[in-house]
Amino acid sequence: MKTYHADIVIVGSGLAALYTAAKLMNKKRVIILTKKKWQASNSYLAQGGIAAAYAPDDDWHQQMEDALRAGRYHNNVDETAFLARESKRQVDALIRMGMQFDRDQKGQILLAREGGHSAARVLHAHGDATGRELTGFVKKYVERQVIIHEHTQATELLVQNGHCVGVRASDQSEEPVVYYARNTVLATGGCGQIYAPTSADPAVTGDGLALAYWAGAALKDMEFVQFHPTLLIKNHRAYGLVSEAVRGEGAKLINQDGKRLLEGKHPLEDLAPRDVVSRVLFKAQKTGEAEQIYLDISMLDHFAEHFPTITQLCRQAGVDLAKGRIPVSPGAHFLMGGIETDHEGKTTLPGLYAIGECACTGVHGANRIASHSLLEAVTYAGTAAASMNTHTEQPIEKITDESGFRNVPPPPSKKEIQKTMFEYVGIWRTQQSLTTAVDWCLSWGIDFNRAERFDGTKDELERLNMLTTAWLIASSALERTESRGGHTRIDYPEEIEQWRTKSIIREVTKIEQN
Ligand SMILES: Cc1cc2nc3c(=O)[nH]c(=O)nc-3n(C[C@H](O)[C@H](O)[C@H](O)COP(=O)(O)OP(=O)(O)OC[C@H]3O[C@@H](n4cnc5c(N)ncnc54)[C@H](O)[C@@H]3O)c2cc1C
Ligand SMILES: O=C([O-])CC(=O)C(=O)O
């Protein structure tokens, strides 16, 4: 079996992974492994930008207040304050490294507006290609010092004497590969692909969440899924995201007759936090108020110049921008919950760190504010790397036990999972819909409460991860009998104060390998 040794092995190649590698590479031997080509990530697709209280009259306290309000006060307040306080410092550090954000003709950084923010505070690059520019920049920064194994799918975390000592993977030709490391970092992103429609890259299937769960790490707040209001959807096909920054420039959500859908629904109208806008649009679809939702962009000048990525998506979908309307509909976008982590990205499993969307530090509460995910990725890459650079985990003994695997009972198809999740664990949830989803997850022959080691093809293991994540979300959503942020129970429509600071934790009995 192919075996590699490193100080740190990082799973994923989005911004969290690449920036963590950048912070470690001068002191540690780092290997990155990633499922497909390195570009296959949500980070690469990011459009709007990265938020920072950058304007002279802006203030991190205000940024924090906005994030808490959007998160419906379920946030970890200390971490949210830390993230907001750090924002300008993080952006300045990127600029010093050589990252180029868009500027006006006088050389001033351009700041865009997005939902939930009380000020224009979103830095962007090449218009709406921020993710491509930022990940491309950091990839270039690390590539001479960091080994990147592409087309290598992590399939299991290795646990020995209660420590995570590395990761098992499967390479392009389905050959097993083992990576031993003093520290293992999961930067596998969220789980958008367990829903359809979604804005997420096809590689983002909840793998890291499921791997951490089966290895015994605690997961938290899994019921909080964010639905973005404006996916470009035509003839039932999703083509990608239409950034909130388009509404930041003044675009409005309308129905087929031109009636504005957000008017009077929230003080910020079309720029209300995402959960609010998605709920309004979904209700308009369900009640017949909107047979088709459009983003009216007729008042915007220089659209193609400001939004080249979206212009390209519209071209692919055959949408004529000259008509001033883009057909949109809500879809799964982000997971607020994830692997429980502390300030340094440490999970409850010693030796294992989680950074970025797969982690749950609590900064997003029940609904993430726009452009705080790229910010989270770079900020916690920093705290986690500082911790890994100073701590040395115990030396690793080689794991020789290859027994104890069970062949995965055939999991459902991706399409079945995506359909079930959108229908029963989507924007509107009820006890009945969630019970249906939980029972469906359980019907595939897996006891999610008992730790097991699974063997199978990459595709089977990916679908198992999707099913596991689906169960984690559905079962947590069933337990939370209130509505808050991204979690809307139409049978419990109110926010309930006792639930505000309560988190649902999911943890399986830990497994040991010898
Ligand atoms: C279309 C879109 C636009 C967005 N725009 C913005 C924005 O403008 N601003 C903002 O703040 N946020 C935005 N977000 C959210 C943000 O992009 C993500 O939350 C963030 O980039 C996540 O970064 P990450 O590094 O944690 O994960 P990702 O960037 O998703 O990377 C995960 C990586 O893990 C790899 N991986 C997964 N499973 C495995 C496995 N089993 N083995 C090996 N590798 C694996 C994937 O291939 C990928 O490389 C957007 C999201 C989308 C989908
Ligand atoms: O561009 C967008 O709308 C997406 C975005 O900012 C985010 O997810 O934070």
Side-chain angles (χ1 to χ4, degrees):
M1 192 185 309
K2 263 196 272 178
T3 304
Y4 295 90
H5 292 263
D7 293 321
I8 318 282
V9 61
I10 302 177
V11 187
S13 58
L15 187 61
L18 294 168
Y19 209 60
T20 305
K23 297 268 169 189
L24 288 167
M25 66 188 188
N26 290 333
K27 290 196 179 161
K28 303 282 180 188
R29 275 175 307 139
V30 180
I31 300 181
I32 282 181
L33 63 104
T34 189
K35 205 170 173 177
K36 299 200 173 149
K37 283 198 75 65
W38 77 267
Q39 294 95 332
S41 73
N42 280 0
S43 299
Y44 192 85
L45 298 176
Q47 293 185 355
I50 182 164
Y54 212 81
D57 57 350
D58 201 2
D59 170 3
W60 69 263
H61 293 93
Q62 199 48 53
Q63 185 177 347
M64 174 185 80
E65 282 301 327
D66 291 346
L68 295 176
R69 195 178 310 109
R72 300 313 306 151
Y73 304 100
H74 180 64
N75 314 52
N76 176 321
V77 177
D78 290 343
E79 293 302 332
T80 311
F82 171 71
L83 188 73
R85 206 167 51 230
E86 274 290 298
S87 64
K88 183 166 186 306
R89 214 176 68 82
Q90 293 295 335
V91 162
D92 282 336
L94 281 166
I95 293 171
R96 274 197 309 276
M97 283 163 72
M99 173 65 199
Q100 307 224 346
F101 290 103
D102 294 337
R103 293 173 185 265
D104 65 15
Q105 282 169 348
K106 289 189 193 142
Q108 298 293 321
I109 295 274
L110 286 165
L111 296 168
R113 241 199 144 90
E114 281 192 273
H117 288 282
S118 57
R121 59 166 75 101
V122 180
L123 291 90
H124 44 88
H126 200 79
D128 59 2
T130 311
R132 187 193 70 198
E133 297 297 302
L134 193 49
T135 51
F137 169 75
V138 183
K139 160 77 168 35
K140 231 185 166 123
Y141 191 83
V142 302
E143 67 192 357
R144 263 192 270 150
Q145 272 171 276
V146 175
I147 299 164
I148 302 182
H149 291 175
E150 295 185 315
H151 302 290
T152 306
Q153 179 177 321
T155 54
E156 191 192 21
L157 292 170
L158 302 172
V159 182
Q160 186 187 52
N161 304 326
H163 267 72
C164 180
V165 296
V167 61
R168 190 186 306 275
S170 185
D171 72 9
Q172 190 152 20
S173 35
E174 303 252 353
E175 291 297 321
V177 195
V178 170
Y179 295 85
Y180 289 110
R182 289 175 192 275
N183 287 123
T184 304
V185 179
L186 287 174
T188 46
C191 59
Q193 281 292 333
I194 70 169
Y195 288 89
T198 179
S199 59
D201 184 274
V204 178
T205 51
D207 294 7
L209 303 160
L211 260 52
Y213 179 73
W214 289 115
L219 275 76
K220 185 176 161 182
D221 285 345
M222 291 295 287
E223 65 276 27
F224 293 116
V225 175
Q226 179 173 82
F227 294 86
H228 197 293
T230 57
L231 268 57
L232 167 49
I233 295 185
K234 202 180 149 197
N235 300 332
H236 308 286
R237 184 174 154 199
Y239 288 85
L241 188 74
V242 180
S243 174
E244 227 167 63
V246 177
R247 276 174 282 138
E249 287 211 357
K252 306 288 180 220
L253 287 155
I254 55 170
N255 73 0
Q256 65 285 350
D257 304 320
K259 180 177 176 246
R260 280 194 54 199
L261 295 168
L262 265 295
E263 205 167 43
K265 300 283 172 39
H266 188 277
L268 293 171
E269 298 194 333
D270 294 80
L271 281 176
R274 255 169 225 175
D275 57 333
V276 176
V277 181
S278 285
R279 264 194 304 275
V280 169
L281 299 191
F282 193 67
K283 190 170 174 193
Q285 288 172 326
K286 287 283 167 200
T287 57
E289 189 187 0
E291 275 161 34
Q292 173 65 58
I293 299 165
Y294 292 100
L295 197 53
D296 175 7
I297 57 160
S298 57
M299 70 297 281
L300 303 189
D301 294 327
H302 312 295
F303 188 88
E305 191 188 316
H306 290 185
F307 303 109
T309 310
I310 299 165
T311 301
Q312 182 61 25
L313 292 174
C314 286
R315 247 178 234 138
Q316 281 166 17
V319 172
D320 180 3
L321 285 172
K323 294 198 173 137
R325 286 179 169 196
I326 304 177
V328 292
S329 192
H333 183 65
F334 185 83
L335 179 69
M336 274 67 73
I339 306 158
E340 185 178 3
T341 49
D342 66 10
H343 180 68
E344 296 177 322
K346 286 189 183 133
T347 70
T348 59
L349 178 62
L352 179 69
Y353 288 74
I355 308 170
E357 191 172 335
C358 69
C360 182
T361 57
V363 288
H364 307 306
N367 170 58
R368 175 173 66 81
I369 196 165
S371 290
H372 263 207
S373 181
L374 298 180
L375 176 63
E376 174 189 28
V378 293
T379 304
Y380 288 95
T383 59
S387 161
M388 284 182 268
N389 273 327
T390 47
H391 292 107
T392 318
E393 297 296 326
Q394 63 186 28
I396 311 147
E397 289 160 38
K398 215 169 155 188
I399 293 184
T400 49
D401 180 15
E402 286 302 321
S403 64
F405 285 103
R406 168 160 83 110
N407 271 342
V408 186
S413 71
K414 286 181 189 173
K415 269 210 173 114
E416 283 173 289
I417 298 172
Q418 292 165 336
K419 192 166 174 286
T420 305
M421 287 303 282
F422 202 81
E423 191 165 336
Y424 298 108
V425 198
I427 297 176
W428 280 355
R429 302 161 173 190
T430 63
Q431 163 137 6
Q432 202 185 355
S433 75
L434 295 168
T435 306
T436 304
V438 170
D439 289 348
W440 183 81
C441 292
L442 292 172
S443 72
W444 296 91
I446 290 152
D447 179 352
F448 295 104
N449 288 308
R450 226 193 72 212
E452 274 205 87
R453 301 175 72 190
F454 294 101
D455 204 359
T457 62
K458 283 202 279 195
D459 183 66
E460 283 168 339
L461 292 174
E462 188 181 66
R463 285 184 286 129
L464 169 70
N465 292 334
M466 292 173 74
L467 187 67
T468 304
T469 309
W471 174 80
L472 286 163
I473 294 174
S475 65
S476 304
L478 185 57
E479 215 168 299
R480 184 173 281 272
T481 46
E482 67 153 356
S483 289
R484 188 177 295 278
H487 172 67
T488 306
R489 289 281 304 253
I490 53 177
D491 47 354
Y492 293 94
E494 306 296 330
E495 283 183 1
I496 295 173
E497 179 54 23
Q498 290 94 301
W499 270 113
R500 186 170 61 78
T501 53
K502 251 201 252 176
S503 275
I504 296 166
I505 308 282
R506 289 271 174 264
E507 198 172 7
V508 80
T509 316
K510 292 184 176 131
I511 51 169
E512 287 285 319
Q513 300 148 19
N514 299 306

